[in-house]
Amino acid sequence: MIAMRTAIVLLALASAAVRAQEGADLRLNEIQIIGTHNSYHSGIGPNEMIWLRKVNPRAADSLDYRHPSLTVQLDAGVRQLELDVYGDSKAGLFAHPAAVRLVAEAGLAADEPFDPAGIMRKPGFKVLHVQDIDFRSNCQPFIACLQEIRAWSKAHPGHLPIFILVENKDGAPRGDYMKVTPEPLTTATFDALDAEIRSVFSRPEMIVPDDVRGRHKTLEDAVLASGWPTLQSARGKVIFLLDQRRAGPLYTKGHPALEGRVLFTNAQPGTPDAAFVEVNNPVSDPDLAPALVRKGYLLRTMTDPGPAGVRANDTRRRDAAMASGAQILSTDYPYNEPAPSGYAVRFDRGIVRCNPVLKPAGCQAAKIGEASGR
């Protein structure tokens, strides 16, 4: 009996090892995975939503979604997470959102406290969507979100790479009810952002631009000539992506090809830092994303058709996004988080599939899953 049990264990370990080795020659950009948009978004409080619908129904419709914890999303198969961050170097900038006061003034009961531990009174990057109005998150602060992702990663060795999209928020308040002015973005902002990431993830736990550029002069030269690292070398690691293109010049200042940086910028093709590109509307120019994918860029696109389209279960944009070859498909409704209409984004089987544009030779989606976990 002991011998039989030992044989079963050895067989299981061998099977896991073989599964992990399947697709060892596949490149990181030759697959397609599903991620979440505003992954931290735990939803607006019920009475805060009642107030918002009275003053701005359109905004209320666009913000009426929520995600469970990052851990639950990763368990479900999400392999790209998006975190919106605001600088809060002096602490307390987001500790007293206007919506809490406005709900009380409207005669509505207060929703559950959004910061019972007083995290917002401490310095460091904070994770939220819109200051004063949409400020509830399933993880806080930014470092805690990263720690949660790292804990999941360590518990699931051999997982597909996790892409972490970071959007740095700034800009003047919009609307009479918004009062907080975020800190401006500067080169120091991005130095601090890199430092917070490095305080959680060690160098071997990430794929960074230096890994991809290698001996090439620019990052773009590397991905167009030599390609991305293999999927096998990326397993168990995270890859950070910078969302908004307008922040690129600040992040690349002094680092034109992202030398020594942590994040890949959302870059304009033809520039030294161009490796990751966002094409968020796959419908407006249906030839753009496939063309960029064929050249060797890594792409992210958005799948969802907007609140009205989601309510109507309109899948045209979703289907176009999936067919575009963009490696990262970002949605508010992945896997086991469908909209009431039934709208959702998922593959027919599994959590990864072979890239439909690149069609890598010998790729079998069922064999490039994870040696542990899903």
Side-chain angles (χ1 to χ4, degrees):
M1 181 64 71
I2 293 176
M4 181 178 294
R5 288 177 179 173
T6 301
I8 291 173
V9 170
L10 291 174
L11 181 61
L13 290 173
S15 177
V18 169
R19 193 176 177 199
Q21 288 297 323
E22 290 287 354
D25 295 332
L26 278 177
R27 297 284 180 168
L28 184 62
N29 61 313
E30 292 181 323
I31 62 171
Q32 194 173 59
I33 54 96
I34 293 171
T36 47
H37 168 243
N38 293 344
S39 312
Y40 59 88
H41 196 260
S42 59
I44 295 177
N47 287 326
E48 292 156 6
M49 179 60 80
I50 290 173
W51 168 82
L52 184 59
R53 285 202 179 280
K54 290 180 179 179
V55 300
N56 194 334
R58 185 174 180 179
D61 280 345
S62 69
L63 300 176
D64 194 10
Y65 66 95
R66 63 193 67 234
H67 291 298
S69 71
L70 303 183
T71 297
V72 169
Q73 293 178 60
L74 290 167
D75 283 343
V78 166
R79 291 297 176 267
Q80 173 259 308
L81 298 167
E82 180 181 350
L83 301 173
D84 290 353
V85 299
Y86 288 78
D88 190 16
S89 58
K90 297 179 181 178
L93 189 58
F94 306 101
H96 305 286
V100 174
R101 171 180 54 81
L102 294 167
V103 163
E105 291 177 356
L108 299 168
D111 289 311
E112 290 292 322
F114 81 101
D115 184 30
I119 293 171
M120 292 299 199
R121 296 194 295 272
K122 300 175 182 179
F125 287 99
K126 304 303 189 300
V127 177
L128 61 149
H129 191 219
V130 182
Q131 73 272 26
D132 282 319
I133 303 303
D134 190 7
F135 46 83
R136 295 179 183 271
S137 302
N138 59 32
C139 59
Q140 196 71 263
F142 179 57
I143 280 181
C145 301
L146 299 182
Q147 290 169 337
E148 182 177 352
I149 297 168
R150 185 177 185 274
W152 187 94
S153 176
K154 290 302 178 185
H156 298 79
H159 65 75
L160 291 165
I162 301 169
F163 297 90
I164 304 174
L165 189 68
V166 179
E167 179 176 356
N168 288 80
K169 295 291 193 80
D170 65 348
R174 294 168 294 175
D176 295 338
Y177 40 80
M178 294 173 62
K179 303 301 181 185
V180 172
T181 299
E183 292 182 356
L185 300 182
T186 66
T187 55
T189 302
F190 291 104
D191 290 343
L193 184 68
D194 275 4
E196 285 206 3
I197 293 171
R198 289 189 177 114
S199 75
V200 176
F201 287 99
S202 67
R203 179 65 177 78
E205 295 170 339
M206 302 184 284
I207 290 181
V208 299
D210 286 340
D211 296 325
V212 177
R213 191 178 57 259
R215 296 182 179 179
H216 289 275
K217 183 177 180 180
T218 72
L219 196 54
E220 184 175 61
D221 288 345
V223 298
L224 298 188
S226 300
W228 289 83
T230 64
L231 178 62
Q232 188 62 23
S233 69
R235 288 183 181 275
K237 298 185 179 183
V238 296
I239 303 166
F240 286 89
L241 310 170
L242 186 62
D243 181 35
Q244 67 275 48
R245 183 167 289 175
R246 65 183 176 83
L250 286 172
Y251 193 68
T252 58
K253 188 174 183 179
H255 313 264
L258 298 176
E259 301 90 341
R261 284 301 203 184
V262 172
L263 296 97
F264 291 85
T265 50
N266 171 16
Q268 177 69 40
T271 57
D273 57 321
F276 166 63
V277 181
E278 290 187 4
V279 179
N280 282 334
N281 189 340
V283 177
S284 61
D285 185 351
D287 296 325
L288 178 59
L292 292 172
V293 167
R294 290 188 185 98
K295 287 181 178 180
Y297 297 102
L298 182 79
L299 265 64
R300 178 253 199 173
T301 194
M302 298 284 289
T303 61
D304 300 347
V310 169
R311 288 194 296 270
N313 195 16
D314 183 346
T315 63
R316 288 174 293 180
R317 175 166 172 162
R318 180 199 70 184
D319 296 344
M322 297 179 78
S324 73
Q327 293 87 352
I328 301 170
L329 306 171
S330 189
T331 178
D332 290 329
Y333 306 98
Y335 297 110
N336 58 350
E337 297 181 52
S341 65
Y343 175 87
V345 179
R346 59 174 68 94
F347 299 130
D348 291 337
R349 294 183 59 184
I351 66 171
V352 61
R353 70 175 188 174
C354 305
N355 192 284
V357 167
L358 296 178
K359 298 179 180 178
C363 180
Q364 299 181 52
K367 295 183 178 182
I368 58 173
E370 297 176 347
S372 62
R374 283 176 60 102

